[in-house]
Amino acid sequence: MDYIVSSDILNEGDRIKPRKIKQAIVEIVSDSGEGAQKCGQSFGAISAKMGNGVWTVEIIPAEIQPPARSREGASGIRVRIGSDKVTNMGNHADLVIALNEQVVYGRIRQDAYNGNTLMFIENKWAKSEQETIRQQYSEALLKFKELGIKVVEIPMEEECLKLMPDPRKGKNMWILGLLSYMYDRDIPKAEDQIRRIFKKKTDAVIDLNIKLLHAGYDWARENLPFRYEVTPMDVDNDMVVMNGNEALSMGIMASGIELCSMYPITPATSVSHHLAENFERVGGIVHQAEDEISAIGFAIGASFAGKPAVTVTSGPGLALKTEFIGLAVMAEIPLVIIDVQRGGPSTGLPTKVEQSDLLAAIYGEAGDAPKIVLAAATIEECFHFVVLARKLAESFRTPVILLSDANLATGVQPFPRPKIDPLWLTNPIDQSPWKDGAGPFEWDENTGTSKRPIPGQKGGMYTVTGLAHGKTGKVAYDPEINQASVESRSRKIASFQKSLKPPKINGDPEGDILLVGWGSTLGAIEEAVADARAEGLKVSSLHLRFLFPIVPGLVDIFNRFKKVITVEINYSDTLGHPMITQENRRYAQLAWLLRAKTHMDIDCFSNVYGQPLNPEKVLKMIKSELKIENSEVKG
Amino acid sequence: MLVQTHEYCSVPSQDHDYGMEDYGKGVARWCPGCGGHSILTTVQRVCKDMQYEPEKTVVVSGIGCSGRFPHYMGTYGFHGLHGRAFPVASGVKFRRPDLNVFVVTGDGDCCSIGAAHWVHAIRYNMKMVALLFDNGIYGLTKKQTSPTSPLGTHSNTHPRGSVLPPINPIQTTLGLANVSFVAQTVDWNSAHLYATIRKAAEHPGLAFVRIVQRCPAFMRDLYGDIAVNPKNLILLSHENGINLKPKARKAFGRVIEHDPSNIHKAREHAEINNGIPIGLLYQNTDNARYDEYGAHNLGMGVEEKKQNLECLLDQYTTSNSV
Ligand SMILES: Cc1ncc(C[n+]2csc(CCOP(=O)(O)OP(=O)(O)O)c2C)c(N)n1
Ligand code: SF4
């Protein structure tokens, strides 16, 4: 095997001693339906159990069943494991396992590999009965080698055929075995993982998959002259491993919310799948409505009746819900709205990441409809922010929109096991008689907050209305009353903002560049900042969780940097095109918001390739901003 | 009077005797002669006779003249969005079986902008009374064509006459999956109106009542003749149907015996167009009820929830396991 760098081989008698590395990025790519994701998720879960940092990103084709061996049809997964906490998908893969050569092209186009990438490729195509396939295969191998990728052909199918007649559904566990050897994973943990993922299958299926695991492991031991070890971290607390949508679902259950009213939409749907499976065990229930409008209306009805509720959706669904969100603001009905963002506008890129709903979330309604908008930046926050969102919704009697995105939705990362506070699970439903003569909107002069009557409370009978109304809840077209009530609803947002602290800066509190991000880009931005600082560059970053109202202290912070740039996955015009001027340039959404809030000249770095951000691109941008060489930026 | 028609129906507390004044509030601001007035009084009477606790009663409406209805009730109310009364009402009821829920909706509200919700609310079949105030026109927005306006109706959107045949709301409802109660009545026959809403309130499921409603402001001619001459009403009569005292029956020119368990006949009667058939067209008390599903796991304590949550978290916990 001539591709192997000799330093990788540390022979110790017969056994190869694993070489210690700090991190590894592994991809498995295939046609859809070959189980690559299951293999990668398992590899990630085993690694997390061993105490490694993990981040996984699913590689999802645009079509549900793309034709086999199509270039844009790659289905699979990237798993990044590390000795420390891993917060993003990283740059180029160290290893790619490809089940056919065609799907690799799409990934190359997405810049997933470079000259340091090692590729294990299924070799059965070399012996295909079809001339064209044989030709495509050999052409591809030449091409990959030209790009500097080290290609190794592996007899995956052939080896699996020894255990089963149709290895299409078994190869993935053989590969898991190979990876387990190569990265020195715990075999009992791997076996346990197999038992877990096939728990609904027969014992025979489980046995066969464990055999495949061992076969892959043994084959690797006999044939691979190298091996790695990614030393795990010392963790004292229990960690949990789950993806962002599972974390949202767990957060919903832990928040004491009793009803999730939804309409299926990618990439939010799996939240409701997880809930549908588990919610009833903790006293909750999922309602699949006839559409998104009905979904939120149903949730609002439940919340009005004292039952904490959430509606979960993505961009197109958020658009449909706007009229009801306005009503919830107007009628001051607590509600959690989760938007797992995808590419837009319209149906857009259903499975791809984008952060384009920020302004729609904040300003999407007709009329003045201030509400709280939060964005989770990590999978851990997907859990805890739901608990927070419910609390804020009830304290401020308002809808709260929680933004997540397609990257967090399917990304998997370990985080400390949440400690569930029984207080989260209590119901606000108060059925003691309503204070005599008090109206349903006795707004506090200072905070704008008020107590709400809930059906069942004697003396509290009032009629919710989306029409203008005063403290008594009665329809009122009086100009003074309207001014006062709109003011009170706005006051709540201000009083909540007063309770927020200025955000923490990652890096020095002053310098040349401050990057500002929100949502799932946290890990990539902070890694880029760390790399830049290691090279001596004066770069820091800031990540916003509270988008509306916005955290205090930003002007002071921004003033200490020569340049402030937002980093976002949404569209902005790039200066340089003849049509684009300072005057007509459209800014990324957070940049737009910050410019309006701070009156400062805030720049942005953003794009809509539908890809999660990687640290390398951010680093390149930093260097080009600082006019450091070799810094061609494509964004 | 105490009536407990279903396990979920609230049992009135003994220390109260609610009177009409407990269900009313303010003066209804509909036009003089508007059908809304008599419907309001009738609903209040039914609430009183059922001794519904006002605090346990919720009236949900959409937007339109009819949408104002909850404001005039002494109960809890929800005057929501145009077309969206059904989703809100369903959400209210889903986890609160102890509440008595009424839905008030207009013909534009229900059969146009909210048509999707109408279809599904019928299918959900949650225990509530749905009153369709069908005046055949958009009242609040001042005389635009409604999906139930008769062909040729002159309106502000069709000044030369409307060009499509109307939707027949009872016929449509009778065609929907899991339909369990369809009745038709008119605002100007108070005995029949009362008996219908009363029967609806006692139905264990979604009771859909189309009320032919007069709108003197914009559709003076539509039901004018019919209202003057009760002979134009066709009474659907049956021992399981909506029963009137013999004296009240006499006012009707035509009476048809109709067994409300017969959906095929019901559909036939729904199509009668030389008069208005009123009465119970269809009832089935055995249909699946989504509110029963919604309430099936109510009342779990905090301790149990926490325990089960911890078990769930165990499944995702890494260190110390395996
Ligand atoms: C989303 C939306 N679209 C339109 C309107 C305007 N609008 C209010 S009521 C109404 C129609 C009312 O007609 P109907 O439902 O028949 O009720 P009626 O007033 O006759 O009782 C319309 C179009 C609205 N309030 N909201
Ligand atoms: S416009 Fe018609 S429906 Fe509306 S209040 Fe007047 S009479 Fe009644």
Side-chain angles (χ1 to χ4, degrees), chain B residues 29-37 64-66 135 137-140 213-219:
Chain B
R29 296 226 218 132
W30 291 306
C31 305
C34 172
H37 297 287
C65 293
S66 60
N135 57 6
I137 197 78
Y138 284 14
L140 189 74
Q213 182 209 4
R214 288 165 306 167
C215 170
F218 299 122
M219 293 295 266

